[in-house]
Amino acid sequence: MVGAFVGAFVLLMLSAFTSVLAGGPLGTKRELVNASYEAVAGECLDWTKADLSDAKKVDCSAAHKFEVTGIADITGAYPKEAPFPNAEAWEKIAQEQCAQAATTYMSGKLDPEGKYGVSTLNPDEHRWSEGYRQLRCGLQVAAPSGAALPSFGSAKTQDQSNVYDPGVCVALGEKNTVGDPVECAQPHAFEIIGVVQHPEGEFLAPEKQDAIMSEKCAAIAAEYTGGADLKARGLLVTWDTRSEKSWAVGSRKANCKVGAVPQGENLVAWKDSVRNPNGAPLTTSNPPQTTSVKPQDEPTGAPLHSESGKPSESGKPSESGRPDKSSESGKPTTTSENR
């Protein structure tokens, strides 16, 4: 046992460089034994409270928000008198201490564009002032905003493809990016209608993936919508492709989705669902990843970004979230957005 601790953390998402300041001012009377200070590599953690004060170890087969990949001690670089790191310093520390730990934990097969992002659980200012210098490195499934999505099963054994289940709608984010899952009644960029599994073997060039996805997504759309006339609604079928570096670590799944006809290079938000209400039940993963992201209890502040000014590629919006081309015909087209 590590002992009794006041439970508040800084949760730093390397994948989006989003700093989440969990919790408010420290309560002077509240002392908790927090599992996050005891977890070791291979263990999974879950919590419901924004300040992580109810964090607990769970079996990795159950829903969880963090899978520990290692423990890093930064005492050598940050002795007791060292000031509490700012957001930029935490980003640098996390990159230096946890990026390689994640790759090693995954035996070199971590998809840089997959659903798992490298994360850290860091001590808060109170613990820092007492000289605590250990970080928990880990992996999380995160929405583009950085909000944690439920993960099921160890990352070591799961397909890392950056996909959602059929029936999930994803918001239109700022600057023409794809945002978090939302209810389909709300404005959104895409509705996921199905997932295609590419075969094992050598990497398929994007044009070959397009040929496969065009045919399969058209069939999926016909079944999902009950043969609805999408063009009449200003909608079209589109899909994702997998990059060579994702393919190399085994990611073979890609989304089929429906979106509004773009205006030039700009995505267009639309409302409601195109699913046939009398259609067959949806085929989802087990357990499914179908819920919209619950807003954080406290504002998280502006996201941090890498030196390039862009989020990293692991499950976050990027230039690839923009349409390659528009289609006035309503025929299937493609984007390389990674969700």
Side-chain angles (χ1 to χ4, degrees), residues 153-309:
S154 171
K156 288 184 173 182
T157 60
Q158 299 303 300
D159 186 287
Q160 299 178 56
S161 302
N162 211 352
V163 295
Y164 285 121
D165 280 337
V168 172
C169 290
V170 289
L172 177 58
E174 296 181 357
K175 297 182 180 180
N176 203 36
T177 59
V178 178
D180 288 5
V182 294
E183 298 297 330
C184 291
Q186 300 180 28
H188 53 273
F190 296 110
E191 178 175 355
I192 308 303
I193 60 173
V195 175
V196 171
Q197 172 79 56
H198 289 294
E200 296 299 319
E202 294 184 359
F203 174 67
L204 294 178
E207 56 269 21
K208 292 185 178 180
Q209 291 186 51
D210 284 342
I212 293 172
M213 297 298 289
S214 175
E215 179 180 355
K216 292 192 174 183
C217 290
I220 288 172
E223 181 177 357
Y224 185 92
T225 67
D229 185 353
L230 297 178
K231 181 180 178 182
R233 290 186 56 181
L235 303 173
L236 51 77
V237 179
T238 183
W239 54 83
D240 298 338
T241 58
R242 295 277 74 87
S243 71
E244 189 167 5
K245 51 190 172 183
S246 290
W247 195 280
V249 296
S251 296
R252 298 287 191 278
K253 295 180 180 179
N255 286 318
C256 295
K257 53 196 181 183
V258 168
V261 174
Q263 294 182 351
E265 290 297 309
N266 294 317
L267 299 172
V268 175
W270 55 289
K271 292 183 179 181
D272 300 323
S273 172
V274 295
R275 186 188 172 202
N276 176 14
N278 299 316
L282 296 177
T283 300
T284 59
S285 59
N286 185 22
Q289 292 237 23
T290 56
T291 54
S292 60
V293 176
K294 182 180 179 181
Q296 298 286 333
D297 293 334
E298 299 288 341
T300 60
L304 303 173
H305 296 286
S306 62
E307 292 181 359
S308 66

Side-chain angles (χ1 to χ4, degrees), residues 43-44 60 64-69 105 137-139 153-156:
E43 293 185 326
C44 293
C60 289
H64 59 273
K65 294 187 176 74
F66 195 88
E67 181 171 352
V68 181
T69 59
Y105 181 79
C137 300
L139 292 170
S154 171
K156 288 184 173 182

